[in-house]
Amino acid sequence: MRFRHPDGSTVHLAYCTNVHPAETLDGVLAQLRDHCEPVRRRLGRDRLGIGLWLARDAAQALVTDPSALRGLRFELDRRGLEVVTLNGFPYEGFGAEEVKYRVYKPDWADPERLEHTTSLARVLAGLLPDDVTDGSISTLPLAWRTAYDETRADKARTALVTLAERLDALQELTGRSIRVGLEPEPGCVVETTRDAIAPLTAIAHDRIGICVDTCHLATSFEDPHTALDALTAARVPVVKSQLSAALHAEHPSRPEVRDALAAFAEPRFLHQTRTVTPPATTAPTDPAATTATAGLRGTDDLDEALADDGPLPGTAPWRAHFHVPLHAAPAAPLTSTLPVLKAALTRLVGGPHPLTRHLEVETYTWQALPPELRPRARAQLTDGIAAELTLARDLLTDLGLKELP
């Protein structure tokens, strides 16, 4: 979906296909047929933007076979779909029964991450619509925080500098400008937007910036205006933003609230949980199990927070990294952080000029919801994704953007 900003620029809205598991090119093509085109039809649109997630095998098939890339581009056009952004965070296995910590491998200290992201950039340059010259890719925020020492940090910095050079060369070759954004996530080396500023300013290249995920932003209790003002002041480009909402519990000490939260503790994904407390005076004794920085305390997963001897106090609200559907907040006593998304969107595209022109709805946890909330048929998932995009569209038009055909 495209929108005209009051300054005349085009803002793109897509939904991320990592909600539909696929590891191969055939699987991606099936996604377009079974999910993406039905969402477009449900919305009554002639054209729909999708943020493709391409696993390693699918990306390799496309980058090594020009005819395969042309075939994917043909299928996108035929089904009324367009791609200006890719989700390059998961490498493979995102549809597995248990993902958890695996999603952070390989990290930016591993050569595989650089090669995979380079492949994605080359693929995206070939998939961009004819009238679009700029593409974006979101990626892992350097690494998971444990086992990340200065040696690995140096390797990661070198890899990102090499990536920037390759993106420069790609534009010279194709005329397409591809940018990559680190996506801050709780528990990672870059957990917050503040954490991103130092490594990105050290690289100092406008092709390497940040992807602001509003669920992650909210989970870490960041104020959107403060965060985005700091990025602007540091001249860190917002390459894209993922529109998502976290799980919020206002009174986590209450038994009924803990019971409601427990329904969201599931075995597939990590659901990092955070609360704000007075600043910690000492570092956590087990950094693999808990974090404590500048008043932010947390666990790596929701079940750890809910344990009888869990480390989080229940005296302040909790937020969990669980991407809940934008249009359907959890039933009381829980809610979502949709207000954080709205505040971030106001700052991202509500000003005289947009801070980013690529927006992506990214609720990948539909099948991880409590059983009674999961879509039971393909049509229900189609309806849910369409409802999320409708909400996002309405937020954009309320900010003065004009929906384009």
Side-chain angles (χ1 to χ4, degrees):
M1 301 167 75
R2 298 188 185 191
F3 297 81
R4 182 73 67 206
H5 190 275
D7 75 348
S9 62
T10 300
V11 173
H12 295 265
L13 173 66
Y15 92 87
C16 187
T17 63
N18 62 354
V19 63
H20 313 303
E23 297 289 319
T24 65
L25 179 55
D26 285 344
V28 172
L29 295 173
Q31 288 177 351
L32 306 185
R33 179 193 67 228
D34 297 339
H35 298 287
C36 303
E37 186 177 7
V39 170
R40 178 185 65 78
R41 294 184 181 278
R42 190 63 49 87
L43 290 167
R45 301 281 310 177
D46 293 332
R47 174 174 54 189
L48 176 68
I50 58 172
L52 274 181
W53 171 59
L54 298 172
R56 178 195 60 178
D57 289 349
Q60 278 300 302
L62 291 166
V63 81
T64 57
D65 184 352
S67 65
L69 184 58
R70 289 193 299 269
L72 176 56
R73 174 68 184 273
F74 174 80
E75 282 298 301
L76 290 166
D77 293 341
R78 184 166 77 91
R79 299 189 184 280
L81 306 169
E82 67 178 14
V83 175
V84 303
T85 189
L86 301 179
N87 186 331
F89 195 136
Y91 182 70
E92 61 185 353
F94 200 60
E97 291 185 3
E98 182 178 333
V99 179
K100 298 289 185 181
Y101 295 95
R102 291 172 51 191
V103 76
Y104 306 106
K105 294 292 186 178
D107 65 34
W108 272 102
D110 298 319
E112 295 87 351
R113 178 61 65 173
L114 172 61
E115 297 311 315
H116 177 59
T117 309
T118 301
S119 295
L120 292 178
R122 292 171 177 164
V123 168
L124 182 56
L127 293 180
L128 289 177
D130 292 338
D131 61 344
V132 175
T133 58
D134 297 330
S136 62
I137 301 171
S138 48
T139 190
L140 178 78
L142 297 183
W144 187 251
R145 70 183 184 280
T146 56
Y148 190 76
D149 55 20
E150 191 55 39
T151 298
R152 294 188 67 78
D154 286 341
K155 290 180 179 179
R157 284 192 292 269
T158 299
L160 286 168
V161 169
T162 300
L163 176 66
E165 294 169 349
R166 292 179 179 181
L167 296 177
D168 284 340
L170 184 64
Q171 183 172 17
E172 290 183 11
L173 180 65
T174 66
R176 304 296 179 89
S177 174
I178 309 298
R179 297 192 299 167
V180 173
L182 304 183
E183 181 186 331
E185 177 165 312
C188 291
V189 172
V190 174
E191 168 154 344
T192 66
T193 56
R194 181 179 60 255
D195 297 334
I197 291 175
L200 290 176
T201 53
I203 294 168
H205 199 296
D206 62 5
R207 295 200 193 278
I208 311 297
I210 193 170
C211 168
V212 175
D213 184 301
T214 58
C215 170
H216 304 171
L217 190 80
T219 301
S220 294
F221 287 86
E222 289 197 81
D223 173 71
H225 295 285
T226 301
L228 292 167
D229 285 347
L231 293 174
T232 300
R235 297 185 179 181
V236 172
V238 182
V239 170
K240 65 185 280 189
S241 179
Q242 289 172 326
L243 306 182
S244 53
L247 194 62
H248 180 95
E250 186 68 17
H251 302 288
S253 63
R254 295 178 180 176
E256 67 273 20
V257 176
R258 298 177 74 86
D259 288 344
L261 284 170
F264 287 84
E266 52 84 38
R268 186 172 175 187
F269 300 111
L270 277 185
H271 300 297
Q272 301 94 316
T273 304
R274 298 289 184 267
T275 190
V276 176
T277 67
T281 57
T282 59
T285 56
D286 182 5
T290 185
T291 62
T293 57
L296 191 68
R297 291 187 60 188
T299 59
D300 285 354
D301 218 343
L302 181 54
D303 56 356
E304 298 169 10
L306 291 169
D308 291 338
D309 57 349
L312 301 189
T315 53
W318 290 4
R319 289 177 179 173
H321 173 216
F322 195 118
H323 290 223
V324 296
L326 302 185
H327 67 292
L334 303 178
T335 188
S336 81
T337 61
L338 185 62
V340 177
L341 183 158
K342 292 179 178 179
L345 198 59
T346 298
R347 184 70 177 84
L348 286 165
V349 300
H353 304 287
L355 296 184
T356 184
R357 292 184 288 113
H358 292 175
L359 305 173
E360 179 183 62
V361 171
E362 198 217 9
T363 304
Y364 59 84
T365 44
W366 283 93
Q367 298 303 335
L369 289 166
E372 68 275 11
L373 301 179
R374 295 174 194 169
R376 302 181 185 279
R378 187 181 295 167
Q380 288 180 301
L381 179 58
T382 297
D383 289 342
I385 293 171
E388 289 192 293
L389 286 167
T390 298
L391 183 147
R393 178 197 64 195
D394 292 345
L395 292 176
L396 291 173
T397 56
D398 287 347
L399 290 171
L401 281 72
K402 180 182 179 181
E403 186 176 6
L404 298 175

